[in-house]
Amino acid sequence: MGKSAQQQQQQLTNSPKKQRSAVEDINDRLRCHNLQESLLSSASGYSNYRGILNWCVVMLVLSNARLFLENIIKYGILVDPIQVVSLFLKDPYSWPAACLIIGMEPLFYWMILHLFNLTSLLIFPSASILTVTSITPVGGVLSLGTYTVLFLKLYSYMDSNKWCREIRHAKAKRMTRSYSCPIVAQSNGSAINTNVSYPGNLTHRDMYYFIFAPTLCYQLNFPRSPRIRKRFLIRRLFEMVRGNDQKHCPKILEMDFSRMVERLLKLAVPNHLIWLIFFYWFFHSSLNFVAELLQFGDREFYRDWWNSETVTYFWANWNIPVHKWCLRHFYKPMLRKGVNKFLAQTAVFLASAFFHEYLVSVPLKMFRLWAFMGMMAQVPLAWFVSRFLNGNYGNAAVWMSLIIGQPIAVLMYVHDYYVIHYGSTT
């Protein structure tokens, strides 16, 4: 009898601890934003740009490789390699300096309604684009991009409020409300943020703030900046207006393999520079502009992806809003269900590959799976780079995959689009 009484007493003391740990776990899932500046802002204090130096080296090598191949195609090999080797063998003192060579180095029905609503956000816009002939590819990409962002936001809104219900069922004492709620002014002129427990956050004001906020993850306590900095806002607006550019894609039809490779290298550098301009324009200028207008405090839209030594590090740090969404609503739930890390990572890449292909194939009205296969190819590439390449070599491999990989996909889609709309290559 004494032992059973002791066991019951231990269970009673452990149950509040388990309950508190469950509530803390759900609270950790709900909080994913902090008050911080973007890395490229001067206020962040960040100064590690080692990956940029490797990028310069890779760009220099690729630019000269393109010129080298172009000269061979135009003029052929003008210098006999055998004569050069024999010359060095006859006169060893004319060899290059050795130092230069060495130095290179639970509600079921409600869940059904939610899923139906989310699925319709992906199906109806794509069906409209495929049936209405007047919609251009650019308009299709903008429409599908908007609805895809709305899909991810609503899924996060649904999932986060489900966690709030779990906390409520676990009899949590208090739950802070989102800072997107109205600010109540005091008599002395200062302002305080009202805190409302769930379900007090289920208001149109709270939801629409989240819809326009530069994040994909809903949270009941968004960090807020103290004021709107007008100079910062004007600088970001100026960068957004100045960042427009055009892209030229050379024709690749009726080419042999060497000419196709030469055109690929010629397209790689400008395509990559346009991608870098787009990254800065969107992830730094545009998102910071919106965040400043809404006083959204978490400005970590990217991390130091330019220093990536592995492919997985790049994909986890170049697009933080999408990475947070995948980690919070897709990857970690799979781990909690017992799925191993490799299968969970592969599933994340599979979902990303689907959305890449969805955003390209539907506006172009052709399904070639080039973007899908390019994303899935990142899985073996990530394994190879993390296993065989380290340090600067791994960083250079990541830069090479970015500079060469995207133009390959662009050439594939340009070729197929041209063939479908303007005739065959014969």
Side-chain angles (χ1 to χ4, degrees), residues 74-107:
K74 287 183 178 180
Y75 309 110
I77 301 176
L78 301 179
V79 179
D80 189 359
I82 299 177
Q83 293 182 358
V84 175
V85 173
S86 62
L87 178 62
F88 281 121
L89 291 177
K90 292 178 181 179
D91 188 8
Y93 296 101
S94 64
W95 291 5
C99 59
L100 295 178
I101 300 175
I102 297 173
M104 294 179 62
E105 342 186 27
L107 297 173

Side-chain angles (χ1 to χ4, degrees), residues 25 82 107 168 172 182 186 196 220 222 304 317 334 341 361 407:
D25 178 64
I82 299 177
L107 297 173
R168 193 184 185 192
Q186 293 181 327
V196 181
L220 271 76
F222 284 122
D304 59 335
N317 290 276
M334 293 183 69
K341 290 185 177 181
S361 292

Side-chain angles (χ1 to χ4, degrees), residues 13-27:
T13 56
N14 291 332
S15 58
K17 294 181 180 180
K18 294 181 179 179
Q19 186 176 1
R20 284 196 301 271
S21 63
V23 172
E24 290 175 357
D25 178 64
I26 297 175
N27 277 328

Side-chain angles (χ1 to χ4, degrees), residues 140-160:
V141 170
L142 295 176
S143 300
L144 291 185
T146 302
Y147 279 101
T148 301
V149 170
L150 186 60
F151 167 85
L152 298 176
K153 282 176 174 284
L154 292 183
Y155 186 92
S156 178
Y157 187 80
M158 176 193 70
D159 220 12
S160 299

Side-chain angles (χ1 to χ4, degrees), residues 14 21 114 156 191 215 243 317 325 330 340 365 383 389 426:
N14 291 332
S21 63
H114 277 303
S156 178
T215 179
N317 290 276
W325 190 95
F330 198 71
N340 64 64
K365 300 179 182 180
W383 174 84
L389 300 175
T426 58

